[in-house]
């Protein structure tokens, strides 16, 4: 099912977007509508053509050429899980705010051999909420936890940057951390010290890559570890180039 997505004004002036042809830019916007709420779409040229350009005289080869443009500009990332190919829109968490997310496709790094889409399931963490549930194409939308610490408490909020970083951690690590004050305060403290959103995302990406498949280290993919003042400084210092995946802004 197609979804409503947001196109920000800065999209039109982004140098990264401008590297692509006008039709590739249109395809890029179109793929958002048919991606799941992790920005993931099956890597099928024929399917994408019928979704975005159903009545246009555009060949499969033309669609593939546009996809190649988007990948070269680092706007799409290709990966494979259990023998199936997927595309993921880079920078998704920063540009799309999903209210009631559903996850139809496996994320990068999901266990090989899964017959149905599944989020990578790290070892249980007493400080985390239950991992987000993925659904099949015909499944009803899952119920989403209210962002509250406990029954009767007020929903917590935080700065857009803190929420975006926490959302990035959830997506990359396959977690479902709620925006509780303790987590947001840790992230906010790092930003106040001069860290950028890009640096925070880069630390998350680096540690997910390093720890996601290690049963001993998986439990440390959590805000209190990643954004601890001392530990974060060390993680950031390990980055050769402390930037997130190249992102249009």
């Amino acid at each position: 099912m197609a979804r409503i997505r947001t196109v920000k004004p800065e999209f039109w002036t982004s140098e990264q977007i401008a590297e692509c042809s006008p039709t590739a830019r249109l395809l890029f916007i179109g793929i958002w509508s048919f991606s799941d709420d992790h920005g993931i779409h099956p890597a099928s040229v024929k399917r994408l053509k019928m979704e975005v350009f159903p009545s246009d005289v555009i060949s499969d080869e033309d669609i593939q050429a546009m996809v190649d443009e988007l990948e070269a500009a680092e706007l799409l990332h290709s990966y494979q899980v259990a023998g199936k190919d997927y595309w993921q829109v880079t920078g998704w968490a920063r540009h799309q705010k999903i209210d009631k997310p559903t996850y139809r496709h496996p994320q990068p790094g999901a266990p090989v051999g899964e017959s149905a889409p599944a989020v990578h399931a790290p070892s249980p963490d007493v400080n985390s909420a239950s991992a987000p549930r993925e659904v099949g194409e015909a499944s009803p939308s899952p119920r989403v936890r209210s962002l509250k610490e406990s029954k009767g408490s007020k929903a917590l909020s935080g700065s857009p940057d803190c929420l975006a970083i926490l959302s990035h951690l959830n997506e990359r690590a396959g977690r479902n951390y709620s925006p509780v004050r303790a987590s947001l305060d840790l992230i906010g403290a790092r930003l106040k010290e001069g860290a950028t959103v890009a640096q925070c995302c880069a630390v998350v990406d680096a540690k997910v890559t390093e720890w996601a498949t290690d049963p001993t280290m998986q439990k440390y993919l959590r805000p209190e570890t990643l954004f601890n003042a001392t530990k974060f400084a060390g993680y950031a210092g390990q980055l050769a180039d402390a930037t997130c995946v190249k992102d249009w802004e």
Side-chain angles (χ1 to χ4, degrees):
M1 180 183 294
R3 297 164 175 78
I4 296 173
R5 302 302 191 192
T6 300
V7 182
K8 295 182 178 179
E10 53 264 36
F11 173 92
W12 308 105
T13 55
S14 165
E15 293 184 7
Q16 189 179 358
I17 298 296
E19 294 175 6
C20 301
S21 64
T23 50
R25 297 174 209 170
L26 181 59
L27 182 74
F28 186 46
I29 295 174
I31 198 172
W32 305 349
S33 294
F34 298 96
S35 295
D36 73 4
D37 292 336
H38 271 152
I40 297 171
H41 189 286
S44 169
V45 168
K46 291 184 180 295
R47 175 172 175 168
L48 188 58
K49 193 274 179 189
M50 292 304 298
E51 289 170 339
V52 182
F53 298 111
S55 61
D56 296 287
V57 183
I58 296 177
S59 68
D60 291 351
E61 290 74 19
D62 292 332
I63 298 293
Q64 184 61 61
M66 292 182 229
V67 169
D68 291 342
E69 285 186 62
L70 297 174
E71 289 192 288
E74 298 183 26
L75 296 168
L76 284 184
H77 166 65
S78 296
Y79 66 97
Q80 188 178 82
V81 175
K84 295 184 179 180
D85 296 311
Y86 299 91
W87 296 310
Q88 184 173 39
V89 177
T90 64
W92 183 264
R94 296 183 62 191
H95 297 287
Q96 301 297 329
K97 303 304 178 187
I98 310 300
D99 187 24
K100 296 182 179 180
T102 58
Y103 310 119
R104 300 183 181 277
H105 309 298
Q107 299 177 68
V112 175
E114 294 284 352
S115 58
V119 175
H120 180 76
S123 300
D125 185 345
V126 295
N127 296 302
S128 71
S130 298
R133 183 162 61 98
E134 292 192 338
V135 298
E137 291 291 342
S139 302
S141 298
R143 296 181 63 184
V144 180
R145 288 186 57 182
S146 174
L147 301 182
K148 297 181 179 180
E149 286 188 287
S150 61
K151 185 176 180 180
S153 63
K154 295 183 178 180
L156 296 175
S157 62
S159 76
D161 285 346
C162 292
L163 292 171
I165 293 166
L166 185 63
S167 176
H168 186 74
L169 171 59
N170 282 335
E171 291 193 8
R172 293 288 287 114
R175 299 295 183 91
N176 192 26
Y177 291 111
S178 296
V180 296
R181 181 58 54 202
S183 296
L184 297 177
D185 283 350
L186 277 171
I187 298 171
R190 304 294 77 77
L191 295 175
K192 288 179 181 179
E193 290 172 352
T196 65
V197 172
Q199 286 173 323
C200 292
C201 289
V203 166
V204 169
D205 291 341
K207 293 300 141 185
V208 168
T209 299
E210 184 178 349
W211 295 345
T213 57
D214 185 335
T216 301
M217 301 302 294
Q218 286 173 353
K219 63 184 178 181
Y220 297 115
L221 292 172
R222 58 192 184 188
E224 57 264 45
T225 297
L226 297 176
F227 300 106
N228 169 279
T230 302
K231 290 183 172 63
F232 180 84
Y235 300 150
Q238 293 170 0
L239 300 174
D241 179 16
T243 58
C244 239
V245 175
K246 187 178 180 184
D247 194 8
W248 43 280
E249 51 185 347

